[in-house]
Amino acid sequence: MSKLVNPHGGGELKPLMLEGAALTAEKEKAVDLPKVNVSSREAGDIIMMGIGGFTPLDGFMTHADWEGVCDGMKMAHGSHKDLFWPIPITLSTDTKTAEILKEGDEVALFDAARDEILATMIVTEKYLIDKAHECMQVYKTTDIEHPGVEMVMAQGDVNLAGPIKVLSLAEFPQEYGEQFMTPAQSRAQFEKRSWSTIAAFQTRNPMHRSHEYLAKIAIETLDGVLIHSLLGKLKPGDIPADVRSEAIETLIDNYFVDNTVMQAGYPLDMRYAGPREALLHALFRQNYGCSHLIVGRDHAGVGDYYGPFDAHHIFDEIPADALETQPIKIDWTFWCYRCDGMASMRTCPHDAEDRLLLSGTKLRKALSEGEEVAGNFSRPEVLAVLRKYYASLKDDEKTEVKLSGHSAR
Amino acid sequence: MSKLVNPHGGGELKPLMLEGAALTAEKEKAVDLPKVNVSSREAGDIIMMGIGGFTPLDGFMTHADWEGVCDGMKMAHGSHKDLFWPIPITLSTDTKTAEILKEGDEVALFDAARDEILATMIVTEKYLIDKAHECMQVYKTTDIEHPGVEMVMAQGDVNLAGPIKVLSLAEFPQEYGEQFMTPAQSRAQFEKRSWSTIAAFQTRNPMHRSHEYLAKIAIETLDGVLIHSLLGKLKPGDIPADVRSEAIETLIDNYFVDNTVMQAGYPLDMRYAGPREALLHALFRQNYGCSHLIVGRDHAGVGDYYGPFDAHHIFDEIPADALETQPIKIDWTFWCYRCDGMASMRTCPHDAEDRLLLSGTKLRKALSEGEEVAGNFSRPEVLAVLRKYYASLKDDEKTEVKLSGHSAR
């Protein structure tokens, strides 16, 4: 039987979360270490390293690695030299904190929002970066309106590099239960199901028929699909994770064949880096054991910063051996009345007016105001779950939901 | 840019059809050579070798090659030693003809049905085979009711091996025009269209929605689909090639995006060898430049001789480097009323009664008697072409059509 794709880098999964006595001891020690505050993005990266999602990273990147990743998408150092990596994974702090730290110091990485130490780190390097250079290389823009650029610009001026030991996965294991699956767990599930070809379907939202169609294209030719939801920070107006999960589960129960689909979530903030983030999405899906990633139109994009197919093309531009996990490139999908079925721009030759297209904003408005939504757009069972959620919102929350205007994925 | 798959064996295409002065000279010589009659199957094989569809074969197989192919799916001789080949390509004659031939003799391969010499051959070997052994190895049965077995059992008792020079492609170029595409021509077309990933869709019949769905699954992720129709001997009740071609062209015009699909035909009789023939279908599609072959349920099967997925499984049993062309394995496809769309057994979890399934026999009856056919089963534009054809038949032909009971593909 064929086997699963290898973890990135070709070795074993490398979860940096401590366990047992080592965890207890490190936690005790951490309390007395100097604290370095981490942002939401950095916290997500720590937890991903904790569960092995960023295998084979040992911690936050050095200046040479930062530069290698920005400029050539590869690591510069030691055992990871020349390893493909598309987006810098860095930790920043303010100048004042940096000044009192010296190389070799051990620090506690503290998440103020959660009031919790997530990890310890040995500082091996303090360095300054040209933030605008990172933004241009990774985000292709320095426009401060871009949410990823905004994060880079808002971060501290000094980067700290070093190996980390992860002490906590924050609220994820408890809040999301089985939904919060580590790469080792998803791999075990795939093996139990005798799957070896698996497409990850990335989502932040409930699945309508266009998303069901994307997943089913993959199921027609692969062993299964992992519907892999973002459990990191949501935007205002996004459906909460439990409602999303219920809506997806309902879809699976009613419209998918047993043992062709699994649902799970991962703990990471969106960077909205478009093509570079599509590569990161494929990379960590490889760690989860997925042989393929469904890459739609404007994957991980925001606004008009990227061409609709930039995230497709970038997979042709990286070295053939950069990733084992391969993209399944699919264009917009929709119901077409003349096709009398679901289709994409690749398979439907008809006109825009033959197609049922509904913006996320219009859908939210219809759901929160109890209007009809076409069954060709979304399954009735899914709509029922979403209607129940919108009905439970207070009026002022509905208003906020209606005002937030981000698109479906 | 990626390039097309290599011809089988990794070298250049090897069409055995002579041209120009060499052709004229060989034709003149052939008239005076002893004649060996060829069967319809053998004629198809000669023409396939003529156009390079059976690259890199030089002619009909020797005993050692026959044995290697029957027992281990590989050639035994010379420059083709260990070359993957799934079905023996052999020429037979009766004992009387064989007796007057000796090794080194040159013969004319004569197609009595067409009253034409198709090729010349230098006889390098005369040999007897255990026909039952060939049938068991290739067809998995010696049941004389099996049409492939019947052909083997009906062939002459002596096989003749040797390199051939092809003198004629029979009626194919003239009768089918551009439809009759050689591997060199399809490759040139693919390159002109900048396609490198192409799925061949094998058919003997017009395409209904289930077939359209199969092709579109491939188009969603590949550059294009080659709808590749059999132009060899049809069965009674089969739709004639020109009607089939018109029905398919109508479907393409109305329901496919420009530059995602091409139609062509190939000159070969069905052997109905199920899994082994699926491998041969993939092999010659590699010569045509197709990176994939859509392999449905019971591909190239007949009756109940093969399990519905034997033709899927066999691709997992051959060496990884046997073929570059890979299968796209798809189960039964159909319209499902609860899915409200096309689906397969892999993507529709509903019951048989939710699905629209129509046998070829029932469809022919409905078409020839002017009954309604559900639009979910076949496109109205396609049905109109077929209705016109059935209306043109005389009453006794309709009866024959209704009585012939072979299924859709």
Side-chain angles (χ1 to χ4, degrees):
Chain A
M1 216 191 72
S2 337
K3 59 191 238 345
L4 298 174
V5 288
N6 291 300
H8 185 52
E12 299 286 305
L13 282 177
K14 204 194 266 182
L16 304 181
M17 177 74 197
L18 296 181
E19 288 178 353
L23 175 60
T24 313
E26 193 74 12
K27 273 186 166 173
E28 276 170 25
K29 188 179 73 180
V31 181
D32 299 321
L33 295 176
K35 282 195 177 63
V36 170
N37 285 317
V38 298
S39 68
S40 174
R41 185 194 78 196
E42 290 159 351
D45 291 346
I46 291 170
I47 295 163
M48 273 299 259
M49 290 193 268
I51 61 178
F54 279 168
T55 296
L57 297 191
D58 309 288
F60 287 103
M61 290 184 181
T62 64
H63 184 265
D65 286 334
W66 171 85
E67 193 171 42
V69 168
C70 283
D71 295 351
M73 296 201 275
K74 58 187 182 185
M75 305 278 282
H77 266 100
S79 63
H80 303 328
K81 187 159 157 41
D82 293 334
L83 179 80
F84 175 78
W85 204 277
I87 291 185
I89 306 297
T90 56
L91 176 74
S92 74
T93 193
D94 57 281
T95 317
K96 211 174 124 193
T97 307
E99 268 169 8
I100 57 173
L101 295 175
K102 53 185 195 306
E103 284 170 26
D105 279 359
E106 203 163 0
V107 294
L109 303 185
F110 181 70
D111 185 341
R114 293 180 169 102
D115 191 25
E116 187 178 16
I117 296 171
L118 294 180
T120 60
M121 180 172 94
I122 296 172
V123 179
T124 58
E125 191 182 341
K126 301 192 285 184
Y127 61 97
L128 301 177
I129 57 163
D130 177 348
K131 289 185 176 184
H133 181 72
E134 174 170 337
C135 291
M136 274 313 291
Q137 293 297 102
V138 175
Y139 298 96
K140 308 276 175 217
T141 175
T142 53
D143 185 350
I144 196 74
E145 297 291 315
H146 184 295
V149 171
E150 194 186 352
M151 281 192 277
V152 174
M153 291 306 183
Q155 76 193 27
D157 285 334
V158 184
N159 277 5
L160 302 177
I164 66 168
K165 292 176 178 168
V166 179
L167 309 183
S168 167
L169 304 177
E171 74 282 8
F172 289 101
Q174 193 154 12
E175 187 162 333
Y176 300 101
E178 287 188 357
Q179 274 284 299
F180 179 68
M181 212 175 267
T182 67
Q185 288 168 334
S186 62
R187 285 173 172 270
Q189 272 291 327
F190 297 155
E191 277 168 6
K192 197 175 137 197
R193 291 163 178 252
S194 300
W195 289 3
S196 60
T197 53
I198 300 109
F201 176 73
Q202 155 90 28
T203 183
R204 295 192 350 256
N205 283 298
M207 290 171 71
H208 303 296
R209 287 197 63 179
S210 58
H211 311 117
E212 178 190 332
Y213 178 64
L214 287 171
K216 286 187 168 178
I217 290 170
I219 292 173
E220 288 295 3
T221 58
L222 304 180
D223 292 333
V225 160
L226 176 66
I227 297 171
H228 212 199
S229 303
L230 183 130
L231 302 174
K233 207 167 63 175
L234 296 171
K235 291 196 212 159
D238 274 355
I239 303 278
D242 58 334
V243 179
R244 173 183 63 201
S245 168
E246 186 190 345
I248 293 175
E249 209 54 46
T250 300
L251 181 73
I252 293 174
D253 288 348
N254 285 283
Y255 295 97
F256 282 83
V257 172
D258 276 354
N259 199 31
T260 62
V261 62
M262 261 170 64
Q263 194 185 174
Y266 67 95
L268 202 64
D269 285 4
M270 288 294 292
R271 285 165 159 87
Y272 301 100
R276 287 263 195 147
E277 189 155 0
L279 295 173
L280 186 67
H281 282 171
L283 185 159
F284 74 74
R285 263 45 176 258
Q286 187 174 320
N287 287 330
Y288 276 90
C290 300
S291 57
H292 293 78
L293 171 70
I294 296 172
V295 182
R297 200 179 176 105
D298 198 26
H299 186 100
V302 64
D304 293 323
Y305 295 100
Y306 311 108
F309 301 114
D310 287 1
H312 288 180
H313 298 149
I314 200 167
F315 282 92
D316 303 325
E317 293 156 13
I318 62 174
D321 61 353
L323 292 172
E324 286 185 39
T325 294
Q326 294 300 309
I328 297 178
K329 304 170 181 177
I330 307 191
D331 203 332
W332 259 341
T333 55
F334 44 77
W335 178 272
C336 167
Y337 291 99
R338 281 199 62 205
C339 286
D340 184 34
M342 300 304 304
S344 80
M345 302 287 281
R346 295 257 320 140
T347 49
C348 164
H350 304 123
D351 299 326
E353 55 261 39
D354 296 317
R355 298 172 183 159
L356 174 61
L357 290 166
L358 201 55
S359 72
T361 314
K362 273 195 179 161
L363 175 68
R364 281 186 288 268
K365 181 172 178 299
L367 289 171
S368 59
E369 297 180 3
E371 290 165 19
E372 272 298 300
V373 175
N376 296 333
F377 182 82
S378 194
R379 299 295 187 183
E381 297 87 343
V382 171
L383 292 172
V385 172
L386 300 179
R387 284 217 170 81
K388 190 177 66 182
Y389 161 68
Y390 281 103
S392 75
L393 289 182
K394 297 194 196 82
D395 279 347
D396 56 334
E397 289 172 312
K398 280 188 198 167
T399 310
E400 188 190 334
V401 164
K402 277 161 57 187
L403 289 175
S404 82
H406 274 290
S407 65
R409 210 150 44 91
Chain B
M1 217 192 72
S2 335
K3 60 191 235 351
L4 298 174
V5 288
N6 292 300
H8 185 52
E12 299 286 305
L13 282 177
K14 204 194 268 181
L16 304 181
M17 178 74 198
L18 296 181
E19 288 178 354
L23 175 59
T24 312
E26 193 74 11
K27 273 185 165 174
E28 275 171 26
K29 187 179 75 179
V31 182
D32 299 322
L33 295 176
K35 281 193 178 65
V36 171
N37 285 316
V38 299
S39 68
S40 173
R41 185 194 80 196
E42 290 159 351
D45 292 345
I46 289 170
I47 296 163
M48 273 299 260
M49 290 192 268
I51 61 178
F54 279 168
T55 296
L57 297 191
D58 310 286
F60 287 103
M61 290 183 182
T62 64
H63 184 266
D65 286 334
W66 171 84
E67 191 172 44
V69 167
C70 283
D71 295 351
M73 294 201 276
K74 59 187 182 187
M75 306 278 282
H77 266 100
S79 63
H80 304 328
K81 189 161 157 34
D82 293 335
L83 179 80
F84 175 78
W85 204 279
I87 291 185
I89 306 297
T90 55
L91 176 74
S92 73
T93 194
D94 57 281
T95 317
K96 211 174 124 191
T97 307
E99 269 170 8
I100 57 172
L101 294 175
K102 53 185 193 306
E103 284 170 27
D105 278 357
E106 203 163 359
V107 295
L109 304 184
F110 181 71
D111 184 341
R114 293 180 170 102
D115 190 25
E116 188 179 16
I117 295 171
L118 294 180
T120 60
M121 181 172 94
I122 296 171
V123 179
T124 58
E125 192 184 341
K126 301 191 287 182
Y127 61 97
L128 300 177
I129 56 163
D130 178 347
K131 289 185 177 183
H133 181 71
E134 174 170 337
C135 290
M136 275 313 292
Q137 293 298 101
V138 175
Y139 298 96
K140 308 278 175 215
T141 175
T142 54
D143 185 349
I144 196 74
E145 297 292 313
H146 183 296
V149 171
E150 193 186 352
M151 279 191 278
V152 174
M153 291 307 184
Q155 76 193 26
D157 285 335
V158 184
N159 278 4
L160 303 177
I164 67 169
K165 292 176 179 167
V166 179
L167 308 184
S168 167
L169 304 178
E171 73 283 7
F172 289 101
Q174 192 154 13
E175 187 162 334
Y176 300 102
E178 286 188 358
Q179 273 285 299
F180 178 68
M181 210 175 267
T182 67
Q185 288 168 334
S186 62
R187 286 173 171 270
Q189 272 290 328
F190 297 156
E191 277 167 7
K192 197 174 137 196
R193 292 163 177 253
S194 300
W195 290 3
S196 61
T197 53
I198 301 109
F201 177 72
Q202 155 90 30
T203 183
R204 293 193 349 258
N205 282 298
M207 290 171 71
H208 303 297
R209 287 197 62 180
S210 58
H211 311 116
E212 177 190 333
Y213 178 63
L214 287 171
K216 286 187 169 177
I217 290 171
I219 292 172
E220 289 295 3
T221 59
L222 304 181
D223 293 332
V225 160
L226 175 66
I227 297 172
H228 212 198
S229 303
L230 182 129
L231 302 174
K233 206 168 64 175
L234 297 171
K235 292 195 212 160
D238 274 356
I239 303 277
D242 59 334
V243 179
R244 172 182 65 201
S245 168
E246 185 190 347
I248 293 175
E249 210 53 46
T250 300
L251 181 74
I252 293 174
D253 287 348
N254 285 282
Y255 295 98
F256 282 83
V257 173
D258 277 353
N259 199 29
T260 61
V261 62
M262 261 171 64
Q263 193 185 174
Y266 67 95
L268 202 63
D269 285 4
M270 289 293 293
R271 284 166 160 87
Y272 301 100
R276 287 262 194 147
E277 189 156 359
L279 294 173
L280 186 68
H281 282 171
L283 184 159
F284 74 74
R285 264 45 174 256
Q286 186 175 320
N287 287 330
Y288 276 91
C290 300
S291 57
H292 293 79
L293 171 70
I294 296 173
V295 182
R297 200 178 176 106
D298 198 26
H299 186 100
V302 63
D304 293 323
Y305 294 100
Y306 312 107
F309 301 115
D310 287 1
H312 288 180
H313 300 323
I314 200 165
F315 282 92
D316 302 326
E317 293 155 13
I318 61 174
D321 61 354
L323 292 172
E324 287 185 39
T325 294
Q326 294 299 308
I328 297 179
K329 304 171 180 177
I330 307 191
D331 203 333
W332 259 341
T333 54
F334 43 77
W335 177 273
C336 168
Y337 291 99
R338 282 200 59 206
C339 286
D340 184 34
M342 299 305 302
S344 80
M345 302 288 281
R346 294 252 329 137
T347 48
C348 163
H350 304 124
D351 299 326
E353 55 261 40
D354 296 315
R355 299 172 182 158
L356 174 61
L357 291 166
L358 200 56
S359 71
T361 314
K362 272 196 182 161
L363 175 68
R364 280 186 288 270
K365 182 172 178 299
L367 289 171
S368 58
E369 297 181 2
E371 290 165 20
E372 272 299 299
V373 175
N376 297 332
F377 181 81
S378 194
R379 300 296 188 182
E381 297 88 343
V382 171
L383 291 173
V385 172
L386 300 180
R387 284 217 169 82
K388 190 178 64 181
Y389 162 66
Y390 281 103
S392 75
L393 290 181
K394 297 195 196 82
D395 279 346
D396 55 335
E397 290 172 313
K398 279 189 199 166
T399 311
E400 188 192 333
V401 164
K402 278 161 57 187
L403 288 174
S404 83
H406 276 289
S407 64
R409 210 152 44 91

